[in-house]
Amino acid sequence: MSTVKASSQREHRVTAKSLARRKRRAEPFSMLTAYDFPFAQIFDQAGIDVLLVGDSVGNTVQGGNDTLAVTLDEMIYHTRMVARAASRALVVGDMPFGSYQVSPEDGVRSALRLMKEGGAQAVKLEGGRSMAETISRIVGAEIPVMGHVGLTPQAIHRMGGHRIQGRSDAGRARVIEDALAVQEAGAFAVVLEGVPESLGREITEKLAIPTIGIGAGVHCDGQVLVMHDLLGLSDWTPSFAKPFANLGAAASQAARQFADEVTHRKFPGEEHSFR
Ligand code: KIV
């Protein structure tokens, strides 16, 4: 590939740096979760800026009650499929519970695997001040890190459930300190999950790096949704999410019609049969 072609492809691609530019220009950007090739390709071609291979795969795809059982090997498997499909979007691989909490070295090792084996272009991990050293060590290994503070699903047992964070003055101060610590450690962006809109705004104004909100109000620099919530594929939609389609109902209708046509020998028709 010529240098010119390679550099024009780089300009086209969303990067950690281009997201920083979007914040400076006050141009909001979009992030969606994706876990496989076909949906990643659809979202990439639709112009979604960031594809997050979230550990929410534990809920959405694996059918679990939380994200704690997801393994690093599973995240690598899903990240590889998404990375193959994305030609414009930035692909971020989520670090699963247990893959970075024991030590910063462990974190660097896990992040390297997500990049080398999964094809991620950046990694995401949950936690603020307590994860600052780990973030800084991973960034030191030339891996862009996206932070995640506020409601952090891997801390479900410490938080006593999926609870909105930062409602009290002390809680608010803690989330602000966490976001600042993540920025100070070298993260290129931070997910703000489950915090009051006014706190989402305050943190977005305080930070130089982009904030990406989920249940954090309209003032964040970017917004993220879980694809199953976007597409109406979940049994239940959280109040902060908006289903933009109802693919669950469409899939159910298609399956019923197929079953009915098989039962009544209407499918396969002449046009689907070989002569
Ligand atoms: O795993 C995930 O999908 C996430 C998003 C909700 C930000 O962390």
Side-chain angles (χ1 to χ4, degrees):
M1 186 186 297
S2 78
T3 322
V4 176
K5 190 165 173 208
S7 75
S8 81
Q9 277 185 358
R10 271 199 301 275
E11 276 159 30
H12 170 70
R13 188 122 209 176
V14 179
T15 61
K17 269 197 161 53
S18 68
L19 293 181
R21 240 181 348 259
R22 297 275 286 270
K23 175 171 180 123
R24 287 197 298 276
R25 294 177 184 162
E27 292 170 3
F29 58 87
S30 54
M31 175 160 104
L32 276 178
T33 66
Y35 316 100
D36 63 22
F37 185 93
F39 278 111
Q41 190 172 51
I42 290 167
F43 298 155
D44 185 65
Q45 289 173 0
I48 295 300
D49 297 301
V50 186
L51 295 178
L52 170 66
V53 190
D55 66 349
S56 51
V57 70
N59 309 109
T60 55
V61 176
Q62 297 176 348
N65 289 327
D66 56 46
T67 58
L68 303 189
V70 177
T71 67
L72 183 59
D73 285 337
E74 287 166 351
M75 290 310 304
I76 290 168
Y77 171 74
H78 288 281
T79 303
R80 199 182 299 133
M81 292 186 256
V82 171
R84 266 187 211 130
S87 59
R88 175 184 171 273
L90 176 71
V91 176
V92 180
D94 217 357
M95 310 256 291
F97 185 58
S99 71
Y100 61 97
Q101 284 86 353
V102 173
S103 67
E105 288 74 22
D106 232 24
V108 175
R109 239 176 258 121
S110 301
L112 284 168
R113 286 196 63 203
L114 269 172
M115 304 286 284
K116 283 175 79 82
E117 298 173 46
Q121 295 149 4
V123 300
K124 177 172 86 56
L125 61 86
E126 297 181 10
R129 285 155 295 167
S130 62
M131 284 300 145
E133 189 190 343
T134 302
I135 293 173
S136 145
R137 293 284 295 277
I138 298 173
V139 171
E142 314 294 2
I143 298 173
V145 175
M146 179 179 283
H148 184 158
V149 303
L151 193 169
T152 47
Q154 291 176 15
I156 183 173
H157 295 300
R158 175 179 58 73
M159 294 183 303
H162 288 104
R163 295 179 187 282
I164 301 303
Q165 302 293 298
R167 280 202 157 128
S168 66
D169 287 350
R172 198 175 170 98
R174 271 197 300 276
V175 182
I176 293 172
E177 281 171 28
D178 280 339
L180 287 169
V182 161
Q183 169 172 275
E184 181 68 18
F188 72 93
V190 61
V191 170
L192 294 183
E193 179 166 356
V195 298
E197 182 184 86
S198 65
L199 181 53
R201 177 180 209 154
E202 185 176 345
I203 294 174
T204 301
E205 286 170 0
K206 271 195 160 72
L207 294 191
I209 60 172
T211 59
I212 307 169
I214 177 160
V218 73
H219 303 290
C220 297
D221 300 300
Q223 295 290 333
V224 53
L225 277 183
V226 168
M227 60 160 276
H228 289 65
D229 294 336
L230 172 98
L231 298 176
L233 284 167
S234 327
D235 293 342
W236 166 83
T237 309
S239 64
F240 58 78
K242 173 175 166 184
F244 287 79
N246 195 351
L247 292 201
S252 170
Q253 161 59 24
R256 278 167 210 272
Q257 190 173 338
F258 167 65
D260 186 66
E261 291 195 14
V262 168
T263 309
H264 295 93
R265 292 199 189 282
K266 282 163 97 182
F267 177 84
E270 293 267 300
E271 67 278 32
H272 308 115
S273 306
F274 298 110
R275 295 275 164 250

